[in-house]
Amino acid sequence: MATKKAGSRLETEIERCRSECQWERIPELVKQLSAKLIANDDMAELLLGESKLEQYLKEQPLRQGASPRGPRPQLTEVRKHLTATLDRGNLKSEFLQESNLIMAKLNYVEGDYSEALSTYARVGLDDLALTAVPPYRLRMVAEAYATKGLCLEKLPISSSTSNLHVDREQDVITCYEKAGDIALLYLQEIERVTLTNIQNRSPKPGPAPHDQELGFFLETGLQRAHVLYFKNGIDVHEDQQNLTRGVGRFRELLRAVETRTTQNLRMTIARQLAEILLRGMCEQSYWNPLEDPPCQSPLDDPLRKGANTKTYTLTRKARVYSGENIFCPQENTEEALLLLLISESMANRDAVLSRIPEHRSDRLISLQSASVVYDLLTIALGRRGQYEMLSECLERAMKFAFEEFHLWYQFALSLMAAGKSARAVKVLRECIRLKPDDATIPLLAAKLCMGSLHWLEEAEKFAKTVVDAGEKTSEFKAKGYLALGLAYSLQATDASLRGMQEVLQRKALLAFQRAHSLSPTDHQAAFYLALQLAISRQIPEALGYVRQALQLQGDDVNSLHLLALLLSAQKHYHDALNIIDMALSEYPENFILLFSKVKLESLCRGPDEALLTCKHMLQIWKSCYNLTNPSDSGRGSSLLDRTIADRRQLNTITLPDFSDPETVSDSSSSSSLSRTESPLHLFVSSHLHSHPKPDTFVWPPAAQSFSDPGPRQEHSLCNSPDVYFHGFPSLFSVSSVHATSVAASRVEQALSEVASSLQSSAPKQGPLHPWMTLAQIWLHAAEVYIGIGKPAEATACTQEAANLFPMSHNVLYMRGQVAELRGNLEEALRWYEEALSISPTHVKSMQRLALILHQLGRYSLAEKILRDAVQVNSTAHEVWNGLGEVLQAQGNDAAATECFLTALELEASSPAVPFTIIPRVL
């Protein structure tokens, strides 16, 4: 009795070791079994043959696609053990079936595929039971199906008939699908048994649970079917059908309840399915995972009905996740993103970060797996423009990124796309350290610094890095000099001292000349050289180089614009306007060109044409930006809508009549209020002496740009004098050309937002640049009305701009112009002072303020303001002329004569609009 009980315990232990693939323990257990039980020689032969074969495969693992090995001396003993068992036939039928399955596996290892298939035919593989069997039997059946599929793939087809070829492929795939299904069942069952044993174990500590390994055959069964689906879709021209079945197979594997052994496999399959969904499936052919796949696609062969349904059923299936509140994707990108986020989570969870040499290979595998996931995430999120989310994902990847250039560079690019330029520059610094010979990285950093950040000194350093790199980056040296020239040119525009401006302009000119000599076929080098010469008022030389740029790139909008401005500087206004019209035929929605057209039409065709262009700009703005005008409070269409709807020309419309009654009263009350207190004074006093109610005052998002270096600050359109969006300059950048006004413009934006929130309950919708463009259009129309002496219409247009940005220095300056037109010098004086309190270097406000002071007899203060204006912009001929008039009134005729001569010389080369309106970006 004791012997029988001991034998039962041994058999249970042997069964457990076979299920958990602990083959090294089998020989010792067989010795104990043979000593304690009688007539177990055949069973011992079976166990020894199996354990020796598995040990051999563990030491010399098989590889997918490897050639047949042939008979091996190490396997001779395995064949002897199995042959002895089968020849005697004393075992029970189920153990004889196991012996045949092991023998067939041995035949495959030795390359005898026909004999392996014959063995499976004798056993009746499809008739083997899957219920009420130990876990190791499930593993043997799964491996048998995988081995059968491998043998069918290896053996050639006797006939070349296409039907036989298709049937063979279907048989192979069916074998792999059965192998995968049973393998999942085995892995779930062995994990269930392991967890049960741990729970039933006494408090006394026992052996640690054995880590299960898939092995070659189980892994092949789980992964080979979908590979064949996609491979056959290419080879047999059944793309849609095989894509449908392959995606279905992927989803079946992913829906199965997860085990510890399948975690890495699950991440691989999720990543592969995401790639298929992104690259190979359109939205029309997508079906969600909880639905049955389409039975037939329009691309399928009509003779093959139901080709996307399974051709087999198993008596026992693996458990799948189910429930009522399961999230189900509804489109291919959504499912791909879900799969990639799951893969990313698993990659981060299983990351190998140890730097010790023993873990180097594991760390590289972990890094490679994570990099593939993040690359696919970049594709998926980039398609939807979700760069903010992408930058957050790549920020999590930084745990892998020690000394890894690819991840750092991807992170930098995602930050750039998300508008986080300040962080992007910091990340690019690390990329430069990791890859110092790559000149494109500092050029990219310089571009960011010269753009929304306006870090011109930093941009200069990055450009010098490329220039001083030597022969390693010789092909990028021209671009380096181009970036250096742009940095110098922008610094010259920002410089407040005339001497410093001239020094920086000379440096910029030398850098552009060097760039042009190194790359004479680069149209940008010729264009920026021409632009710098134009800013320095060397008009004939600039014309020569801009023509070179147009010969190299005939449709470059900036070169065409510069050519038009150069012609206007030579007073060829009609030719300049023709160039603008030609450029607008290629770029009809370019607002920079349209603003220049308004100026040129005012000079050579009259105000009627200019106002017609303003109305055309309003129509373009309405079609480009489907936004609600903040001046519309729901009482009817706004002035914008009514102006567009009216078929008359703008100069024949009495604009105030189109405003709502409340708008008119607001405008008149604002005008009467301005005689006592300006909006800035009202704003400051309201915050110093009273506290607004919480429900009436909300700090606007733009006001956060004082401390936030993130996207809000960089999208504010007022960070630099040369910020451009969609081809037009920002409202705050046309005249704010100095570094001091960059900060002032940020205050201006914040004050405008606060004032708007105090005045109206309808905040501006969406990004700022469409509203800034609309404000510019109204201000250009107001300027035309001022030119023809229509203060009422000019007031209406200015009020529309003020509804958008009430604290803009351009709006305040235009209000001063209207007050001057009405003869109210005191009111105009206050408006100009308000404009300068926002932007202290606004030259037009300085010039008009000095002119009023001159008329009021305050010559000394007028002279001081005009001399400051000359330091800010030494090429403004109106300022020099005003300074001459002030000096003449003071009796200083000699100095006044010099100023008049300088004004005449500058006016002869003055363009219709400043050359700096053209964007200077790398």
Side-chain angles (χ1 to χ4, degrees):
M1 187 73 178
T3 304
K4 186 175 181 181
K5 191 173 183 180
S8 176
R9 284 200 302 269
L10 274 174
E11 289 173 358
T12 302
E13 185 64 16
I14 289 172
E15 183 178 303
R16 187 181 68 82
C17 290
R18 293 180 74 185
S19 297
E20 296 180 0
C21 300
Q22 299 185 42
W23 306 112
E24 64 280 357
R25 295 192 58 200
I26 294 296
E28 181 61 31
L29 292 173
V30 167
K31 288 181 182 179
Q32 297 178 27
L33 182 68
S34 300
K36 294 183 179 181
L37 297 178
I38 305 171
N40 271 303
D41 290 343
D42 289 348
M43 190 65 192
E45 296 284 359
L46 168 63
L47 295 174
L48 288 173
E50 182 184 26
S51 64
K52 289 180 180 179
L53 176 60
E54 297 296 340
Q55 286 279 58
Y56 171 81
L57 292 176
K58 189 175 182 179
E59 294 170 1
Q60 301 185 35
L62 298 177
R63 296 286 183 267
Q64 185 64 43
S67 57
R69 295 183 175 183
R72 294 298 178 98
Q74 302 95 317
L75 300 177
T76 305
E77 291 186 15
V78 176
R79 186 171 289 278
K80 285 181 180 179
H81 289 304
L82 296 176
T83 303
T85 302
L86 292 171
D87 287 344
R88 288 195 287 266
N90 295 329
L91 292 174
K92 295 179 181 180
S93 60
E94 61 265 25
F95 294 121
L96 288 175
Q97 289 173 350
E98 291 178 10
S99 300
N100 278 299
L101 294 180
I102 298 169
M103 180 64 80
K105 187 175 181 180
L106 175 62
N107 289 329
Y108 172 79
V109 173
E110 292 184 338
D112 194 350
Y113 306 127
S114 300
E115 183 60 30
L117 291 175
S118 299
T119 304
Y120 288 135
R122 288 196 303 271
V123 172
L125 192 56
D126 293 333
D127 299 327
L128 295 179
L130 299 179
T131 56
V133 294
Y136 77 86
R137 183 75 61 84
L138 296 174
R139 176 185 55 78
M140 294 183 74
V141 176
E143 289 183 344
Y145 276 114
T147 307
K148 182 179 178 181
L150 289 167
C151 292
L152 289 173
E153 275 196 276
K154 297 285 186 181
L155 286 177
I157 301 175
S158 57
S159 174
S160 60
T161 307
S162 60
N163 288 338
L164 289 176
H165 184 72
V166 172
D167 291 342
R168 169 63 69 84
E169 287 177 347
Q170 186 58 49
D171 290 342
V172 171
I173 290 175
T174 301
C175 287
Y176 288 137
E177 287 187 338
K178 288 182 178 180
D181 291 344
I182 301 171
L184 289 174
L185 179 61
Y186 158 70
L187 293 170
Q188 291 176 359
E189 187 65 18
I190 194 64
E191 182 151 300
R192 182 188 66 79
V193 172
T194 303
L195 292 175
T196 302
N197 292 336
I198 293 174
Q199 291 172 0
N200 294 337
R201 187 179 298 160
S202 63
K204 181 180 178 181
H210 181 73
D211 288 336
Q212 195 71 25
E213 294 182 3
L214 282 177
F216 169 75
F217 294 100
L218 292 185
E219 190 169 345
T220 300
L222 288 166
Q223 292 192 331
R224 187 67 179 158
H226 50 260
V227 172
L228 290 179
Y229 278 134
F230 300 121
K231 178 182 177 182
N232 293 342
I234 296 172
D235 295 342
V236 193
H237 306 290
E238 295 177 343
D239 293 12
Q240 185 65 30
Q241 174 185 319
N242 285 283
L243 175 66
T244 302
R245 298 174 69 187
V247 170
R249 183 60 187 169
F250 270 127
R251 288 170 170 175
E252 289 175 5
L253 297 174
L254 289 171
R255 288 190 65 191
V257 175
E258 185 177 12
T259 64
R260 287 187 303 167
T261 308
T262 58
Q263 286 178 354
N264 291 333
L265 177 67
R266 179 178 292 267
M267 183 174 71
T268 302
I269 292 175
R271 187 179 70 232
Q272 291 172 343
L273 177 55
E275 188 169 1
I276 293 296
L277 291 171
L278 289 173
R279 296 177 56 186
M281 179 173 283
C282 63
E283 295 180 0
Q284 289 74 20
S285 60
Y286 178 81
W287 78 100
N288 74 58
L290 297 183
E291 295 176 350
D292 293 328
C295 294
Q296 188 173 6
S297 167
L299 300 179
D300 289 346
D301 185 353
L303 299 177
R304 301 187 63 184
K305 301 290 184 181
N308 294 331
T309 59
K310 276 193 174 183
T311 58
Y312 69 91
T313 56
L314 296 175
T315 58
R316 190 178 174 191
K317 297 181 179 179
R319 290 177 291 116
V320 298
Y321 291 110
S322 61
E324 297 180 356
N325 298 321
I326 293 179
F327 171 76
C328 183
Q330 298 301 316
E331 57 180 8
N332 55 345
T333 306
E334 193 175 65
E335 183 175 351
L337 184 57
L338 175 63
L339 291 166
L340 290 172
L341 291 175
I342 293 172
S343 300
E344 185 214 4
S345 175
M346 298 176 72
N348 280 291
R349 180 193 63 191
D350 301 330
V352 179
L353 305 177
S354 174
R355 309 297 300 182
I356 61 176
E358 291 81 358
H359 293 165
R360 184 175 183 276
S361 60
D362 293 336
R363 187 179 70 252
L364 292 177
I365 293 172
S366 175
L367 170 65
Q368 184 179 9
S369 178
S371 296
V372 173
V373 171
Y374 286 113
D375 288 345
L376 291 173
L377 271 172
T378 302
I379 295 172
L381 294 172
R383 285 182 179 178
R384 295 303 180 94
Q386 297 294 324
Y387 299 112
E388 180 80 22
M389 185 178 180
L390 176 60
S391 65
E392 293 173 0
C393 291
L394 288 170
E395 188 170 6
R396 294 194 293 269
M398 289 296 99
K399 66 191 297 183
F400 298 96
F402 180 72
E403 300 294 323
E404 293 296 334
F405 170 80
H406 178 69
L407 287 176
W408 279 101
Y409 196 51
Q410 291 283 77
F411 185 36
L413 295 177
S414 69
L415 290 171
M416 285 178 57
K420 302 176 182 178
S421 301
R423 290 194 67 195
V425 171
K426 294 180 180 179
V427 177
L428 286 172
R429 289 184 189 277
E430 178 67 13
C431 295
I432 294 172
R433 186 189 69 80
L434 294 173
K435 210 169 182 180
D437 295 336
D438 190 344
T440 60
I441 306 171
L443 287 174
L444 198 58
K447 179 177 181 178
L448 284 177
C449 291
M450 284 185 286
S452 56
L453 295 174
H454 207 66
W455 295 352
L456 301 182
E457 290 77 11
E458 296 295 316
E460 179 186 347
K461 292 177 184 177
F462 284 123
K464 285 182 177 178
T465 301
V466 180
V467 170
D468 299 337
E471 296 300 323
K472 293 180 180 179
T473 59
S474 56
E475 66 272 22
F476 292 101
K477 187 161 288 189
K479 284 292 184 185
Y481 277 109
L482 191 64
L484 188 61
L486 286 171
Y488 285 141
S489 180
L490 293 170
Q491 287 182 64
T493 304
D494 280 357
S496 58
L497 296 177
R498 185 177 175 183
M500 183 58 69
Q501 288 178 8
E502 293 174 352
V503 170
L504 290 169
Q505 284 178 355
R506 284 195 295 270
K507 286 185 177 181
L509 198 58
L510 290 173
F512 288 136
Q513 288 172 343
R514 180 67 172 149
H516 184 58
S517 65
L518 288 172
S519 182
T521 59
D522 183 5
H523 75 280
Q524 275 196 327
F527 162 71
Y528 280 120
L529 178 55
L531 179 58
Q532 189 58 42
L533 289 168
I535 292 173
S536 303
R537 297 299 177 90
Q538 301 179 44
I539 305 301
E541 294 85 350
L543 275 169
Y545 283 110
V546 79
R547 289 193 176 105
Q548 286 186 31
L550 286 170
Q551 287 174 355
L552 295 169
Q553 188 76 24
D555 60 349
D556 181 54
V557 61
N558 292 327
S559 299
L560 290 169
H561 196 183
L562 178 58
L563 177 60
L565 295 185
L566 288 170
L567 291 173
S568 72
Q570 294 183 330
K571 312 312 174 203
H572 303 314
Y573 296 124
H574 288 281
D575 294 337
L577 192 54
N578 290 334
I579 296 292
I580 292 291
D581 287 334
M582 182 176 66
L584 283 171
S585 66
E586 292 290 330
Y587 307 95
E589 296 176 358
N590 189 303
F591 284 94
I592 291 184
L593 294 175
L594 289 166
F595 291 147
S596 298
K597 183 179 180 180
V598 170
K599 294 282 188 180
L600 289 169
E601 285 178 334
S602 299
L603 292 171
C604 64
R605 292 182 184 173
D608 294 351
E609 292 289 332
L611 290 172
L612 195 62
T613 301
C614 289
K615 182 175 180 179
H616 178 58
M617 281 195 288
L618 292 173
Q619 293 170 337
I620 293 176
W621 187 93
K622 188 72 173 177
S623 63
C624 288
Y625 307 107
N626 188 19
L627 301 170
T628 303
N629 192 357
S631 65
D632 179 15
S633 57
R635 299 179 300 272
S637 58
S638 66
L639 182 59
L640 168 65
D641 297 324
R642 299 190 186 186
T643 304
I644 293 174
D646 196 285
R647 296 186 177 182
R648 291 175 291 170
Q649 292 188 3
L650 209 57
N651 64 326
T652 63
I653 303 174
T654 307
L655 288 182
D657 295 342
F658 280 91
S659 300
D660 298 322
E662 289 85 349
T663 305
V664 176
S665 62
D666 288 347
S667 177
S668 60
S669 63
S670 173
S671 178
S672 62
L673 229 124
S674 65
R675 295 184 180 94
T676 55
E677 287 188 289
S678 67
L680 182 61
H681 292 155
L682 290 174
F683 168 74
V684 174
S685 62
S686 67
H687 282 74
L688 286 178
H689 305 294
S690 65
H691 300 279
K693 296 180 181 179
D695 58 341
T696 60
F697 173 74
V698 179
W699 190 260
Q704 299 178 11
S705 62
F706 290 117
S707 59
D708 181 14
R712 286 198 186 96
Q713 179 192 30
E714 293 148 10
H715 288 167
S716 64
L717 286 182
C718 60
N719 289 353
S720 74
D722 293 284
V723 180
Y724 294 82
F725 286 82
H726 300 290
F728 55 85
S730 79
L731 172 65
F732 304 117
S733 67
V734 173
S735 301
S736 300
V737 295
H738 291 80
T740 54
S741 67
V742 173
S745 296
R746 294 175 184 170
V747 179
E748 170 184 324
Q749 178 195 356
L751 293 179
S752 293
E753 292 288 348
V754 173
S756 297
S757 66
L758 290 172
Q759 291 174 5
S760 172
S761 60
K764 292 184 287 294
Q765 301 174 354
L768 283 177
H769 63 265
W771 301 114
M772 292 181 172
T773 308
L774 182 60
Q776 278 281 48
I777 296 171
W778 286 119
L779 290 178
H780 276 74
E783 191 173 2
V784 176
Y785 278 124
I786 290 171
I788 59 178
K790 289 191 173 183
E793 286 79 0
T795 300
C797 293
T798 305
Q799 182 61 40
E800 287 293 316
N803 289 338
L804 297 166
F805 298 98
M807 293 298 174
S808 165
H809 65 274
N810 281 311
V811 172
L812 299 174
Y813 166 76
M814 199 59 66
R815 283 183 161 172
Q817 290 277 86
V818 174
E820 270 196 87
L821 183 61
R822 287 175 168 163
N824 193 335
L825 296 184
E826 291 294 333
E827 181 184 346
L829 187 70
R830 282 194 294 272
W831 285 123
Y832 294 139
E833 287 175 347
E834 289 296 338
L836 290 172
S837 68
I838 297 294
S839 179
T841 56
H842 188 217
V843 174
K844 288 185 177 181
S845 295
M846 298 171 79
Q847 187 252 331
R848 300 306 302 180
L849 177 62
L851 181 60
I852 293 176
L853 292 173
H854 175 219
Q855 294 176 13
L856 297 175
R858 300 167 65 180
Y859 301 126
S860 299
L861 183 55
E863 180 185 354
K864 170 68 169 60
I865 292 174
L866 288 170
R867 290 191 182 277
D868 289 343
V870 166
Q871 288 293 323
V872 172
N873 185 3
S874 60
T875 60
H877 63 275
E878 300 97 337
V879 176
W880 284 102
N881 186 68
L883 182 58
E885 291 177 356
V886 170
L887 292 173
Q888 187 180 28
Q890 291 177 319
N892 193 347
D893 295 335
T897 302
E898 260 188 57
C899 291
F900 289 138
L901 291 174
T902 303
L904 283 172
E905 182 183 352
L906 290 172
E907 195 276 335
S909 61
S910 177
V913 293
F915 292 113
T916 52
I917 195 176
I918 299 176
R920 285 170 284 178
V921 293
L922 187 59

